[in-house]
């Protein structure tokens, strides 16, 4: 099991520091409409290099920072951190775990960190794909996206299969 | 690279067929190569148990989701990932099919799934349940919930 | 004709606001006119109770369906029809919101609704329940079902 | 209440003659995936002049005729009939009820009937709109179509409002 934990703070509706232990085969996230389940999913995707604003349901990266509510003021940055187990050093980083973090500030300044060290987006992408395990958007199926493989044109499906191979 | 594609295609098709037959308790499924000298597209061709072969458009909402899931899981098998994230993919399924989908999930070996769901049956397939609530308006809070079926949260529909 | 449009717009906006506030137990909703000398477009602007005004894209799946329903029902009121047909529009709603949606349905006066649903709560709002089954594979059969809540069909999810 | 009953025969999965009494304020249609609920909805829409094949989830009008199953042979035509109450002769046809029927044969021949009399598609459209009550596609919200009014461009929404007015 690779996924170990997720920590979110200031990202969308997660104004407060929130940590979830994720070392389980099947994890279910439940709750009422609008409570923040897909926001949690967005935080995971964003930390793991999702750059497509439409996928994150945002118009600008600043939309990802908690914008305040009726009772709380906005905050100045959003951050999320994913910790992976690193069995047999499959990530090539040398530790028992690998921690990937991402931040965005109101100034639009943006940080990427691997094990606390500041890096570029492409370095995080490199570490994720170094395991030889597929990544990018295809292992994530967002709301309403499941039938997409069904409704795709045959040409698009061929392209998808080529990416998988 | 072309041989790698052929091998991958064979793995995907075989897994798709097995998943489909398990999901629908029968029927047939195959991938159709569209060629024009070289491969130009990949199409899907399925027959639901007891029914005849028909254009894909005619399938119901739930049938499309299950067929898509059978193929999607075959892609996962061909190119494993660190973990998989499914957000409310079971919304259009009736109770029986939610149960079958949950069973397909549990049968994926060596895979980690994070699923968002409103369905009780899918929750019962999980090893851990996190409830996201908004007690304080506009602010999300996460609580871990026990998995005894009498404690499954009331907002499941 | 331009005055007819203005009158209709006012009726729609007022009904939209009333439906929205009832659906969400508060909040604000309005229609925004985009003009460039003359009217070029109509946009939606809502604030959910306890939250701040945000781009529509950020709304959740269920929030979008409820907001759309509030507006759709306002259109129905502005231009009544012989009857209305809703096919599984409540799939993405949690239990509480399915209940609110069912209440909105019951409150539509002098209107006839045919709704397809997998949700128990929506079934309880109906005056009659028809079950569509496929005992003989590939062939649909309709049976009328009683509405005591203990007889609501098991395939509701 | 205008809608009185629906009769279907040979349309999609309704191989056998099926009649539903519809004189109720709220009618719920329930059943497993693929059992025929949306097919029933399609039959209603088709009888009331739906011409868009995509809306009916078909490639050709012939797809609407029961194509057979593992245990039944295909049939040679599809037909559906909707009966309306006609209070105060709102339809202008003179009877207590108005019956609208549509048929399609394997030969692609197609019939429209009002109170048993053969007419054209446009005559059925005229009768439906003669009540002054809106019709066409907008009072029918198909699977997945509810959020469409939400995701429409503002220009499209203006056009929709103009049609309603
Ligand atoms: N930056 C932000 N600041 C404050 N609130 C935000 C921000 N971004 C999104 N939101 C709010 O988050 C809510 C959507 O949350 P989310 O999509 O996670 O809901 P959900 O639990 O997935 O619900 P559903 O079951 O309906 O899909 C919206 O009400 C939106 O206004
Ligand atoms: N002409 C036809 N002949 C035979 N079967 C048909 C025909 N047209 C459609 N079907 C079958 O009807 C089924 C779809 O039925 P329908 O869309 O009504 O299901 P549903 O009850 O709405 O299910 P869901 O809850 O998943 O939306 C498909 O299996 C399709 O193959
Ligand atoms: Mg969501
Ligand atoms: Mg359907």
């Amino acid at each position: 099991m690779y996924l170990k934990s997720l920590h979110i703070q200031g990202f969308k509706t997660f104004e407060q520091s929130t940590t979830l232990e994720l070392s389980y085969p099947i994890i279910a996230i439940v709750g009422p409409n609008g409570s923040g389940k897909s926001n949690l999913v967005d935080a995971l995707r964003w930390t793991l290099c999702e750059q497509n604003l439409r996928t994150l349901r945002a118009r600008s990266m600043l939309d990802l920072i908690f914008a305040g509510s009726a009772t709380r003021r906005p905050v100045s940055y959003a951050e999320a951190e994913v910790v992976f187990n690193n069995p047999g050093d499959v990530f090539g980083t040398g530790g028992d775990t690998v921690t990937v973090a991402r931040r965005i500030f109101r100034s639009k300044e943006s940080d990427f960190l691997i094990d606390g060290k500041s890096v570029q987006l492409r370095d995080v992408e490199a570490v994720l794909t170094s395991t030889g395990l597929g990544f990018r958007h295809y292992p994530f199926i967002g709301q309403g996206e499941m039938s997409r493989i069904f409704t795709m044109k045959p040409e698009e499906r061929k392209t998808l299969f080529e990416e998988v191979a | 690279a072309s041989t790698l594609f052929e091998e991958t295609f064979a793995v995907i098709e075989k897994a798709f067929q097995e998943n489909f037959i398990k999901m629908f308790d029968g029927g047939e499924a195959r991938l159709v190569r569209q060629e024009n000298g070289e491969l130009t597209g990949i199409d899907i061709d399925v027959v639901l148990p007891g029914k005849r072969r028909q254009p894909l458009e005619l399938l119901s909402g739930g049938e499309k989701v299950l067929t898509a899931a059978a193929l999607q899981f075959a892609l996962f098998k061909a190119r494993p990932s660190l973990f998989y994230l499914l957000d409310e993919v079971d919304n259009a399924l009736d109770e029986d099919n939610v149960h079958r989908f949950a069973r397909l999930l549990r049968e994926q070996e060596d895979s980690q799934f994070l699923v968002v769901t409103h369905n009780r049956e899918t929750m019962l397939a999980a090893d851990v349940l996190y409830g996201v609530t908004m007690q304080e308006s506009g602010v999300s809070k996460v609580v871990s919930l026990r998995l005894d079926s009498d404690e499954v949260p009331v907002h499941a529909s």
Side-chain angles (χ1 to χ4, degrees), chain A residues 13 21 30 35 38 71 138 141, chain B residues 79 85 87 130 132 136 140:
Chain A
T13 50
E21 292 306 321
V30 303
S35 59
S38 296
T71 52
Y138 92 88
I141 305 185
Chain B
R79 182 90 185 270
L85 242 165
D87 194 344
Y130 286 114
V132 185
E136 156 105 44
S140 295

Side-chain angles (χ1 to χ4, degrees), chain A residues 10-14 31-40 42 57 62-69 106 143, chain B residues 87-88 116 118 132 134 138 140:
Chain A
F11 183 93
K12 290 202 173 185
T13 50
F14 290 87
N33 294 128
S35 59
K37 306 180 296 296
S38 296
N39 290 348
L40 195 156
D42 292 340
R57 290 174 299 149
L62 296 186
D63 285 339
L64 303 179
I65 304 173
F66 178 69
S69 71
R106 290 258 169 231
Q143 260 177 288
Chain B
D87 194 344
E88 285 185 38
V116 178
H118 287 294
V132 185
M134 213 168 243
S140 295

Side-chain angles (χ1 to χ4, degrees), chain A residues 110-129:
Chain A
S110 172
D111 287 345
F112 292 89
L113 302 111
I114 294 175
D115 290 331
K117 178 160 142 291
S118 190
V119 298
Q120 298 295 318
L121 169 72
R122 61 175 171 271
D123 301 313
V124 180
E125 289 183 328
V127 158
L128 292 174
T129 51

Side-chain angles (χ1 to χ4, degrees), chain B residues 19-26 49 66 93-107 121-122:
Chain B
N19 290 339
F20 184 91
I21 288 170
K22 200 177 289 179
M23 283 295 226
F24 288 100
D25 237 353
L66 289 173
L93 303 181
D94 63 50
E95 192 168 295
D96 206 52
N97 281 326
V98 168
H99 178 79
R100 287 164 175 281
F101 181 77
R103 197 183 60 184
L104 182 72
L105 266 186
R106 286 198 309 274
E107 289 173 358
E121 191 78 29
T122 307

